[in-house]
Amino acid sequence: MRLGKLGRIVGVNLRSNAVHFLLASIGVVVGIAAFAFFLALGAGVRSVVLGKIFPLDQLEVVAKTMSLDLGPLSLGMASDVLDDSSADKLRAIPGVRGVYPKMKLTVPAIAVGGKALIGNDLRTELIVDGIDPALVADEIGPTFHDPPATPEPVKPCQADNECGAGYCGRPREGGPDKVCREFVPALVSPHLVEIYNGSLRRAYDLPRLNPDFLLGLSVEMKVGASMVEASARDALLYERVKLVGFSDKAITLGLTLPRGYVAGYNVHYGTPEAAKRYHSIVVKVTAKDQVAAVAKAIEQLDLEVTDSGAEQAGMLITVFVLVFSLLSTIIVGIAAVNIMHVFFMLVYERQREIGIMRAVGASRGDIRLIILGEAASVGLAAGTVGVLLAYAASLGFDAVSANYVPDFPYKPTTYFMFTWDLVLMALGFAAGFCVLGAWLPARRAARMDPAAVLTGR
């Protein structure tokens, strides 16, 4: 039977039995709506959690620690240190496309500033991390860079407008006369802004911060000074730090500076070897499916991969989606049983019609195709309605969240991700279950003896 003729026959049969098919498809609509809703929800949440909070294309490597349990106390210490040789070994691992050492500031530092935001300068203890500028070159650009190779020229000044892109401030190691200085570029993690906008501002009735407004904000950093130590160091380093961007490569709580600056501070208060010791190394992986193999190779080098929580978060999301998808499948399965009963009833009511079709030349295969075509059409129609219902429910969910749910870190504008492959899978799922439910009635209809049906025997 040609496809066009089959389509016309199926269309006529669907219109003549519309009420039966409508009642039979209700379960499919509900099941597919739930199926599409939870799959889209899982995809949307996964994109936020694993795309923004836990990037999966990079690993952070630290030196392996040795733990010693002493009753209630557990002591841990690194069995080795990370240095340039460690970085070279990591670069040799297949699947690694970039290795970027990180260095902590090993001396205390405080920041003084914030008047432009809150009207008064605040003093706070700083946690400072140093990263390779190449790690963020694609997202931040050249504004985040290591210190210049040649010392900045000494140029006395009285105001910032005399210093071009720099500022007029005290010399690096203090002094009564102001000179032109270059800002130290700094990054802040978007997590910090999200925590403030999502929780802290509501708790203390503070204004919402616009990240774009914060760019260019500067504070004075005193390296060697501390608010918690009994006394500050005698020789302080005075720097002016300027915020040049936000990056998920930055430390979550604190400031992230180019590694060259941090190495210089550590050497100033320590030894030259301080510039060659790293507290961790960021490893970028060529493809996400190579992460497991790269992590195993790192462990074979007697190094450890820090647990970012991405694996656990991904597993929880997957379990959530699987559980609700299973419930949706059960609903659609029950609907398929209902469809089977409906088609058995329709086959019984239409047995004379089927007998006539057989008598005028329709084969058993043609009868099967007609019944299964009707089932597939019902499934596609019910699946389409189910997907539209799921999409409408997602819009309602997002609207309720936007208007009634308080802000929280990384609150998305939408929790759902409806993709074409999800829609096609839902439609195929609906049509497949309907065809499965109609298979036995179609087989029975194809086996009818036209002579017996038409003579009433």
Side-chain angles (χ1 to χ4, degrees):
M1 183 180 293
R2 293 182 178 178
L3 186 60
K5 187 176 181 181
L6 174 63
R8 288 193 296 272
I9 295 174
V10 168
V12 170
N13 292 339
L14 289 176
R15 286 192 295 271
S16 61
N17 298 280
V19 175
H20 293 296
F21 289 131
L22 179 63
L23 294 175
S25 64
I26 292 176
V28 179
V29 171
V30 174
I32 293 301
F35 182 77
F37 181 88
F38 288 112
L39 281 185
L41 178 61
V45 173
R46 182 184 292 272
S47 68
V48 173
V49 174
L50 301 184
K52 296 182 179 180
I53 303 176
F54 303 114
L56 288 182
D57 62 343
Q58 66 182 42
L59 301 169
E60 187 160 1
V61 180
V62 296
K64 183 168 286 188
T65 57
M66 299 177 60
S67 60
L68 178 63
D69 292 328
L70 300 174
L73 300 177
S74 180
L75 303 178
M77 62 179 182
S79 58
D80 204 350
V81 296
L82 297 176
D83 51 22
D84 289 333
S85 64
S86 304
D88 292 337
K89 293 177 182 178
L90 293 172
R91 289 188 184 94
I93 297 176
V96 172
R97 67 181 176 93
V99 173
Y100 309 93
K102 299 176 69 175
M103 181 180 295
K104 286 187 180 297
L105 180 64
T106 57
V107 295
I110 62 173
V112 181
K115 189 174 183 178
L117 287 178
I118 59 177
N120 291 297
D121 282 334
L122 296 178
R123 297 168 61 90
T124 180
E125 198 83 16
L126 274 182
I127 300 174
V128 179
D129 209 16
I131 63 172
D132 191 334
L135 180 60
V136 294
D138 292 339
E139 55 180 314
I140 303 300
T143 56
F144 189 77
H145 55 79
D146 279 328
T150 57
E152 52 188 301
V154 178
K155 178 184 176 183
C157 61
Q158 297 296 324
D160 290 343
N161 57 13
E162 301 175 26
C163 300
Y167 68 97
C168 184
R170 71 182 73 190
R172 193 165 188 253
E173 298 188 24
D177 300 323
K178 291 184 177 181
V179 297
C180 286
R181 301 283 310 280
E182 288 190 2
F183 287 103
V184 177
L187 301 178
V188 169
S189 171
H191 301 334
L192 188 59
V193 180
E194 287 291 339
I195 291 172
Y196 170 86
N197 284 334
S199 302
L200 293 180
R201 74 175 186 88
R202 293 178 58 252
Y204 297 99
D205 195 24
L206 297 172
R208 185 181 183 88
L209 288 181
N210 181 356
D212 294 334
F213 176 76
L214 296 177
L215 291 177
L217 181 69
S218 66
V219 297
E220 185 179 50
M221 181 176 70
K222 299 178 181 179
V223 183
S226 175
M227 297 174 61
V228 296
E229 289 184 351
S231 59
R233 296 173 183 265
D234 294 332
L236 303 183
L237 298 180
Y238 296 88
E239 301 279 22
R240 194 78 186 174
V241 178
K242 182 179 181 180
L243 180 62
V244 298
F246 298 89
S247 173
D248 58 3
K249 314 298 189 308
I251 190 174
T252 303
L253 297 174
L255 283 180
T256 298
L257 309 181
R259 196 183 73 214
Y261 283 99
V262 176
Y265 303 147
N266 289 342
V267 169
H268 182 85
Y269 291 109
T271 63
E273 286 72 24
K276 301 177 182 179
R277 293 194 296 265
Y278 312 123
H279 76 275
S280 68
I281 298 177
V282 174
V283 174
K284 282 207 167 189
V285 184
T286 304
K288 293 181 180 180
D289 57 0
Q290 294 179 303
V291 169
V294 172
K296 184 176 181 180
I298 291 173
E299 292 177 356
Q300 293 174 349
L301 296 176
D302 279 340
L303 300 173
E304 290 183 350
V305 176
T306 58
D307 181 14
S308 65
E311 186 174 350
Q312 290 81 358
M315 182 62 67
L316 287 175
I317 296 171
T318 301
V319 170
F320 166 82
V321 173
L322 285 176
V323 169
F324 285 100
S325 297
L326 179 61
L327 293 176
S328 305
T329 304
I330 293 173
I331 295 173
V332 178
I334 294 173
V337 175
N338 184 41
I339 285 174
M340 180 176 64
H341 288 299
V342 169
F343 272 95
F344 268 126
M345 180 189 68
L346 291 176
V347 167
Y348 178 78
E349 292 179 354
R350 294 161 54 190
Q351 55 183 336
R352 186 173 180 80
E353 174 190 336
I354 294 171
I356 294 173
M357 293 177 65
R358 289 293 313 279
V360 297
S363 65
R364 290 184 175 182
D366 293 336
I367 301 299
R368 274 197 300 267
L369 280 176
I370 291 172
I371 302 297
L372 296 180
E374 293 171 4
S377 299
V378 170
L380 289 175
T384 301
V385 174
V387 171
L388 292 176
L389 188 61
Y391 184 70
S394 72
L395 294 179
F397 189 96
D398 288 337
V400 170
S401 174
N403 295 318
Y404 300 104
V405 177
D407 288 343
F408 55 86
Y410 289 97
K411 181 182 178 182
T413 56
T414 178
Y415 297 83
F416 302 87
M417 184 180 291
F418 284 89
T419 58
W420 281 112
D421 56 346
L422 185 151
V423 173
L424 293 176
M425 181 169 60
L427 295 179
F429 193 58
F433 263 84
C434 287
V435 169
L436 183 64
W439 177 257
L440 289 178
R443 186 180 179 187
R444 179 179 178 180
R447 288 184 173 184
M448 284 183 179
D449 183 0
V453 170
L454 295 175
T455 58
R457 291 182 296 177

